Amino acid sequence: DYFHSIPPTIHMQRRPRIMMKKELLNNPIYGWLLRLGGGFGVDRSRSHNYVQTLAEQLNQEDRLVMIIAPEGTRKHTDDWKTGFYHIAVSANLPLVLAYLDYDRKRIGFSEVYHPTGDIIADYQWMRDFFAEHGSARFADQFALPDIEKLRARVSKQQSRLSTTDTSEEILVDPTFVTT
């Protein structure tokens, strides 16, 4: 996935920034190559406030392409993480979805989409886009976001926030941080 993302970013005349687990960058054989190609590490062993940190870093960049796999992994998962979405909303960044159509040997992109802050509606737009475009090489390892699961998570988040002492500042709920 990493190497597939490099040509489109070069074509767009942007330096890619690709979030990956920090252990990959510590590898003496290829860690330097990943850093040179824009890779930066994330410590997934514990919860951090990555959304706010990345939003601040991204707001300092002039020309940037940030590549994040919404699944949060290259292995099979039944659902998407939400950290990438919250980063885009917090940093006021648009989303451009990319797909690889293995059947037709094509790479494609969505239109520029500005997240509305309504995570359900925005995820539905992303789900519809991927349902219409492309075919995964390993279809059994690709999952579209489950809107009903997301709706339940958002509802749980909202009920927790409504019962939380509002005298404390809540920056990001840990369930929404990509780990």
Side-chain angles (χ1 to χ4, degrees):
D1 295 345
Y2 172 80
F3 293 103
H4 289 108
S5 64
I6 302 282
T9 59
I10 291 171
H11 175 74
M12 291 184 283
Q13 299 178 348
R14 303 283 199 273
R15 180 171 189 260
R17 298 291 291 153
I18 304 168
M19 183 168 34
M20 57 188 65
K21 55 185 172 180
K22 72 174 187 167
E23 293 81 11
L24 292 173
L25 299 174
N26 294 335
N27 184 294
I29 298 171
Y30 55 79
W32 65 274
L33 179 63
L34 295 174
R35 280 189 298 280
L36 180 67
F40 67 94
V42 174
D43 180 3
R44 301 184 326 158
S45 65
R46 53 195 170 134
S47 181
H48 297 282
N49 192 355
Y50 287 120
V51 171
Q52 188 63 33
T53 302
L54 284 173
E56 290 169 5
Q57 287 178 343
L58 295 172
N59 281 326
Q60 296 174 11
E61 301 280 344
D62 287 336
R63 295 175 54 111
L64 175 78
V65 173
M66 176 79 180
I67 300 169
I68 303 175
E71 299 96 334
T73 182
R74 289 179 20 209
K75 297 178 183 174
H76 175 72
T77 181
D78 291 329
D79 210 0
W80 289 6
K81 302 282 188 174
T82 56
F84 79 94
Y85 175 81
H86 291 287
I87 292 166
V89 170
S90 296
N92 196 28
L93 294 172
L95 297 174
V96 176
L97 306 182
Y99 67 90
L100 303 172
D101 185 335
Y102 280 95
D103 288 345
R104 291 184 232 148
K105 307 295 185 230
R106 292 184 190 167
I107 295 174
F109 300 94
S110 71
E111 69 219 26
V112 174
Y113 181 80
H114 295 273
T116 64
D118 177 351
I119 191 169
I120 303 298
D122 292 338
Y123 262 60
Q124 187 63 55
W125 175 81
M126 290 182 270
R127 180 182 174 76
D128 293 346
F129 175 82
F130 282 118
E132 291 176 24
H133 295 88
S135 59
R137 181 175 181 191
F138 302 106
D140 61 326
Q141 302 224 358
F142 177 73
L144 291 170
D146 186 326
I147 301 299
E148 291 310 311
K149 279 185 186 177
L150 180 63
R151 196 180 313 275
R153 284 170 55 193
V154 168
S155 177
K156 183 178 176 182
Q157 163 78 5
Q158 289 171 341
S159 67
R160 259 200 322 214
L161 288 175
S162 67
T163 61
T164 303
D165 179 7
T166 56
S167 64
E168 294 181 29
E169 180 180 352
I170 298 174
L171 295 176
V172 177
D173 183 272
T175 61
F176 286 143
V177 176
T178 303
T179 57

